[in-house]
Amino acid sequence: MEAQTHSMANLFAQLGLSTEPADIDKFITERRPLSNGTTICNAPFWTEVQSRFLKEEIIWDADWAGVIDELNARLSK
């Protein structure tokens, strides 16, 4: 079975957030950079459910892992 590629908008929809490009950029801009040593799944702005989803997808290197890594990179700048 081929792995599915998800977009940033798909990830934000999965997290229950706005998928509008301007809203995604605003979300990232207002929350970066992550504090030193803070992993994306432990960032204080996620709900418990959002945090659990991010953590599980990373641990299992699931289809969402690539776009979560991209979000992490954007939040770390």
Side-chain angles (χ1 to χ4, degrees):
M1 184 179 285
E2 191 172 314
Q4 189 173 7
T5 303
H6 296 286
S7 69
M8 190 65 64
N10 294 144
L11 177 59
F12 272 65
Q14 183 70 24
L15 293 169
L17 303 170
S18 173
T19 61
E20 293 297 319
D23 292 338
I24 292 170
D25 289 341
K26 181 179 178 185
F27 179 93
I28 293 168
T29 299
E30 290 178 348
R31 288 161 178 83
R32 74 173 175 218
L34 291 176
S35 301
N36 283 341
T38 301
T39 62
I40 189 169
C41 56
N42 291 325
F45 45 81
W46 301 121
T47 65
E48 184 179 331
V49 172
Q50 291 168 327
S51 179
R52 188 173 338 119
F53 168 76
L54 294 168
K55 184 175 183 176
E56 288 174 358
E57 295 301 303
I58 292 168
I59 288 171
W60 293 103
D61 196 24
D63 291 344
W64 291 100
V67 73
I68 293 170
D69 287 342
E70 179 185 340
L71 177 59
N72 184 53
R74 291 181 65 185
L75 285 166
S76 296
K77 294 181 180 179

